[in-house]
Amino acid sequence: MRSAVILLAIPLIVAHTQQPFATDNGAIPDVTSEEWFRKYGAQPDLGFTGPLSFAHLPYTKCLEDASQPFDIAILGFPFDTTTSYRPGARMGPRSIRAARNSAGATLAWGKGPFDWGARLLDCGDVPLSQYDNSKAIDQMEIAYSTLLARPVPGETKPSTAFMAKDGAEHPRIVTLGGDHTIVLPILRSLHKVYGQISVIHFDAHFDTSAVEGILGQERISHGSYFTIAAEENLMTNHSIHAGIRQKMGGGLAVVDHDVAVGFQVISTEDMDDYGLDAVVAKIRQRVGMGPVYLSLDIDTIDPGMAPATGTPEAGGWTTREVKRILRGLSGLNFVGVDIVEVAPAFDHAEITSLAAASIVNDLIMMMQMEAPPKPHVGPFGL
Ligand SMILES: [Mn+2]
């Protein structure tokens, strides 16, 4: 009996719900877009809505479309098939873009990443082979070189032209990885423009594994790409790691090999023993004022603050410490930067992607500032 009543009521419910949408003559009422614009006007996308580009930057597939010049480009390398532990960093570029809370001035920097007059553009992701690593690495090198050869719309600040072999300004690229192997094709590409480059390498791991006895494509992994880069003489012998704390299967011989590749080591615990200012000073002194490439593995940060990564190591730096070091490196001659190894499938509440997106803001600031910002006195003084 009860079900019969419900069945009888259905046509009445349908008739009632249709009623507000129909006029007397059955036409649909004329609610046009004018009403929205009359009442609310044109509105920008919200921080968490709209097409996926970093911080709502204009988005262009730059490889195919050279019509939009840029001083600084965001570029995704969605590649993770040379990982040793957890794969998934191919989704990193997407998750870092999606984790945009608004980019803007902060008390720490005193400015925002877009307050310098540079043309910033999100150049999208490079469509890389998911199956053939040698092909993907070649694709990355060609793509990076293509963008590096584009004319810049203005004069990049600070100028990098004095370091380039052709004496011209070249755009600078913020690459979103990807596993750490993406640095090899980037260094190959940069070397053609700038010659040998010093590397500031933030990582829990050396990434200078010996490859003796390993043949073919297997030599190149996210643990060995710096060894390959040194074989090819892409780097100076005054590069530096920051944040190292890996367990060494090969014992301390690992460090000897690392030194031969060209690195000096700042360990995670050096932060406790010598302090942040000393860490900054050591990095600056080591790389000097030649061309510098900065590569930041998100696993530098403690897994409690950045769990979504390929090879997590407990006991890392805080996000705030890393951000402060980056501020302190402003004014070096950066020819490119990246952030890698964000594997969002292992994330919780976007904690890793949010840290990475925030660091990308810092990287964009760091590249443009002539010197570290002065410590900011807050609105209430100190
Ligand atoms: Mn790494």
Side-chain angles (χ1 to χ4, degrees):
M1 182 60 189
R2 181 177 291 176
S3 60
V5 169
I6 291 169
L7 284 173
L8 282 170
I10 286 173
L12 293 171
I13 293 166
V14 170
H16 179 76
T17 54
Q18 283 177 343
Q19 199 172 20
F21 302 107
T23 54
D24 287 349
N25 61 8
I28 294 171
D30 187 26
V31 180
T32 64
S33 60
E34 278 82 45
E35 178 160 0
W36 171 275
F37 288 107
R38 179 172 54 76
K39 292 175 81 172
Y40 303 114
Q43 298 280 339
D45 280 321
L46 305 175
F48 47 89
T49 67
L52 201 57
S53 76
F54 184 79
H56 284 307
L57 286 171
Y59 177 98
T60 301
K61 284 186 78 176
C62 299
L63 266 181
E64 301 167 11
D65 179 359
S67 67
Q68 303 297 318
F70 50 87
D71 297 300
I72 296 175
I74 305 287
L75 182 68
F77 278 173
F79 171 84
D80 65 6
T81 42
T82 53
T83 50
S84 55
Y85 191 49
R86 292 168 168 177
R90 71 178 60 183
M91 309 302 276
R94 183 178 184 82
S95 74
I96 295 169
R97 288 190 180 96
R100 56 188 178 202
N101 43 11
S102 60
T106 63
L107 287 177
W109 281 105
K111 275 195 173 192
F114 313 126
D115 297 343
W116 300 82
R119 281 278 293 272
L120 274 81
L121 187 63
D122 190 328
C123 285
D125 293 336
V126 178
L128 302 168
S129 172
Q130 302 113 301
Y131 308 115
D132 183 335
N133 289 340
S134 64
K135 179 177 171 183
I137 289 169
D138 183 60
Q139 288 173 319
M140 287 188 263
E141 183 180 345
I142 294 173
Y144 203 93
S145 294
T146 302
L147 268 54
L148 212 51
R150 295 271 167 83
V152 293
E155 193 179 306
T156 55
K157 289 177 187 161
S159 172
T160 56
F162 74 97
M163 298 181 290
K165 290 177 183 172
D166 61 1
E169 297 283 357
H170 292 266
R172 290 181 293 173
I173 299 170
V174 180
T175 311
L176 312 178
D179 78 45
H180 221 148
T181 297
I182 69 161
V183 170
L184 179 61
I186 290 172
L187 288 177
R188 284 172 174 166
S189 178
L190 287 169
H191 183 262
K192 285 180 270 187
V193 174
Y194 296 105
Q196 287 187 321
I197 291 163
S198 299
V199 176
I200 301 171
H201 174 227
F202 285 80
D203 206 310
H205 311 90
F206 294 101
D207 294 2
T208 55
S209 297
V211 293
E212 281 90 50
I214 304 175
L215 299 175
Q217 189 61 39
E218 201 175 2
R219 301 172 82 238
I220 301 176
S221 77
H222 77 156
S224 70
Y225 60 93
F226 277 137
T227 302
I228 311 296
E231 280 180 5
E232 298 178 10
N233 290 313
L234 306 179
M235 301 184 294
T236 70
N237 60 358
H238 42 98
S239 294
I240 190 161
H241 305 295
I244 301 288
R245 61 187 180 282
Q246 76 165 74
K247 295 169 282 293
M248 294 179 287
L252 287 172
V254 167
V255 181
D256 296 335
H257 187 264
D258 187 71
V259 170
V261 169
F263 281 93
Q264 198 167 40
V265 181
I266 296 172
S267 79
T268 303
E269 297 199 353
D270 286 342
M271 179 72 77
D272 306 320
D273 295 338
Y274 304 106
L276 194 136
D277 290 344
V279 168
V280 169
K282 182 70 213 176
I283 296 171
R284 295 188 73 102
Q285 175 259 320
R286 173 73 172 172
V287 300
M289 293 309 286
V292 175
Y293 184 78
L294 188 150
S295 181
L296 195 151
D297 192 320
I298 197 73
D299 72 22
T300 311
I301 298 171
D302 187 83
M305 296 183 183
T309 191
T311 44
E313 297 281 352
W317 285 341
T318 65
T319 310
R320 186 178 70 250
E321 285 166 339
V322 169
K323 289 164 70 69
R324 288 194 66 166
I325 297 171
L326 294 178
R327 287 209 300 280
L329 299 180
S330 302
L332 298 176
N333 287 312
F334 292 104
V335 293
V337 298
D338 69 59
I339 183 162
V340 296
E341 297 281 355
V342 174
F346 303 99
D347 217 356
H348 303 271
E350 288 186 288
I351 179 173
T352 313
S353 301
L354 284 164
S358 180
I359 286 172
V360 171
N361 279 313
D362 292 324
L363 293 172
I364 296 170
M365 292 291 300
M366 178 197 76
M367 281 198 293
Q368 296 178 88
M369 274 196 117
E370 307 267 1
K374 293 193 167 48
H376 184 84
V377 178
F380 304 106
L382 280 176

